[in-house]
Amino acid sequence: MTVDRNHSLYRAITEAVMDEIKAHDIELVHESEHYVPVSVSARHIHLAQAHVDILFGKDYTFQKYKDMSQPGQFACKEQVTIEGTKSQIERVRVVAPLRKETQVEVSRTDAIKLGVTAPVRHSGDIKGSAAITIIGPKGKVYLQEGCIIADRHIHMSEEDAKRFGVRNLQKVKVEVDGDKAGMMYNVTVRVSNRYALDMHIDTDDANAFGIKGQEYLKLIK
C-alpha cells in the first residue's frame, strides 16, 4: 500500500511539473547537448609542396604517425626544427595533407622562446604573421610570414551547428570544470560538413585550465 501511495505521489508531482513547463513554454534540453569534446594541439607545421621539396627532397612521401580528429588529417612521423631570432625548437611534427601555403602553429610560450611575434589567427590566415625559419633533413626554408598562434576554435558540421544554435565564425564561451575551473572566451565556431565535432586549444590553454584532451567542455553562447 505504501508503494502504491508513493507511486501516485511521484506521478502527481511529475504531472504538475510537466504542466508548469508547458504553461511557461520552457524548452527541455539534454545536458549532453551543451558539451563538445576537446583536443590539445601541440606545436606543428602544415607544408606546401614547394617547401616539402626543399626540406625533405623532391617527390618525398610522408609516413602516417596517427590520425587526427578531423577527417583526412593525420600527424606524420616526420618532424622539422623551427628557428626564430632567439632560439630553435626541434621535433616539430608535420601534419598532412599538404596545403597551398606553409603554416607554423605555436603557443605563446613557444613564440617567446623563439623570439617571434606571432599573432593569434584562424588557421590559414597568415598574411602579415611572424617570420620563421624551418630546417629539414635536406634543406632550410625562410618564411617572411607564416607563423601564428591558432585561435581557440570548435570544428562542427552544419547539423552540429543547428543543434547548438550557433553559426560559422560566431564567438562563444566555453566553461571548464575541475581543479582549474574557468571560462574560455573568444572561441571561434568553424562550421563545415568536412568537419567532425571537436574543440582545439593549444598547450598554453590546456596547462592553464588543467586539460588533458580527453574531456568534454560546456559550450555557452
Side-chain angles (χ1 to χ4, degrees):
M1 183 66 69
T2 302
V3 174
D4 289 341
R5 269 202 304 271
N6 286 343
H7 179 74
S8 298
L9 178 61
Y10 296 151
R11 182 175 179 179
I13 292 172
T14 300
E15 289 176 351
V17 171
M18 293 305 297
D19 288 342
E20 190 72 11
I21 288 172
K22 291 177 182 178
H24 291 85
D25 195 27
I26 299 172
E27 183 181 1
L28 291 177
V29 179
H30 293 295
E31 190 68 7
S32 62
E33 293 182 359
H34 292 296
Y35 287 81
V36 295
V38 61
S39 295
V40 179
S41 183
R43 67 182 78 100
H44 61 275
I45 183 169
H46 302 275
L47 289 171
Q49 183 64 63
H51 293 152
V52 174
D53 294 344
I54 296 170
L55 296 168
F56 292 92
K58 195 167 180 62
D59 299 324
Y60 186 85
T61 301
F62 289 107
Q63 300 179 64
K64 182 185 288 188
Y65 173 65
K66 66 176 180 179
D67 288 317
M68 302 182 73
S69 66
Q70 296 309 300
Q73 294 191 16
F74 60 92
C76 303
K77 292 182 179 180
E78 291 78 7
Q79 298 173 320
V80 297
T81 295
I82 55 176
E83 183 178 68
T85 59
K86 289 183 178 179
S87 66
Q88 296 180 340
I89 295 178
E90 300 177 340
R91 297 187 293 278
V92 177
R93 197 168 295 281
V94 176
V95 172
L98 302 184
R99 293 194 177 184
K100 292 181 179 179
E101 295 182 291
T102 293
Q103 174 179 293
V104 180
E105 295 183 33
V106 298
S107 68
R108 180 79 67 189
T109 299
D110 291 335
I112 292 170
K113 178 179 179 180
L114 289 164
V116 301
T117 307
V120 177
R121 295 280 183 85
H122 301 321
S123 180
D125 181 11
I126 62 171
K127 186 175 177 58
S129 59
I132 194 94
T133 298
I134 308 162
I135 304 169
K138 298 290 186 179
K140 180 186 295 189
V141 171
Y142 174 74
L143 297 180
Q144 290 186 330
E145 58 185 17
C147 182
I148 66 168
I149 299 168
D151 66 342
R152 303 162 174 166
H153 58 278
I154 304 172
H155 292 286
M156 61 175 68
S157 66
E158 292 179 5
E159 183 178 342
D160 290 326
K162 289 180 182 178
R163 180 162 56 89
F164 283 100
V166 295
R167 64 186 183 280
N168 188 43
L169 301 183
Q170 180 177 342
K171 296 289 187 179
V172 297
K173 297 176 290 186
V174 173
E175 185 178 37
V176 183
D177 291 326
D179 294 336
K180 289 194 168 185
M183 191 77 71
M184 292 190 196
Y185 295 88
N186 292 326
V187 181
T188 305
V189 174
R190 304 190 67 184
V191 180
S192 170
N193 283 332
R194 296 182 290 107
Y195 295 153
L197 183 63
D198 198 32
M199 178 178 177
H200 289 177
I201 59 174
D202 65 20
T203 51
D204 280 358
D205 281 338
N207 290 335
F209 288 90
I211 294 171
K212 296 180 180 179
Q214 302 170 345
E215 300 87 351
Y216 280 75
L217 306 182
K218 188 174 184 178
L219 187 155
I220 300 174
K221 291 184 288 184

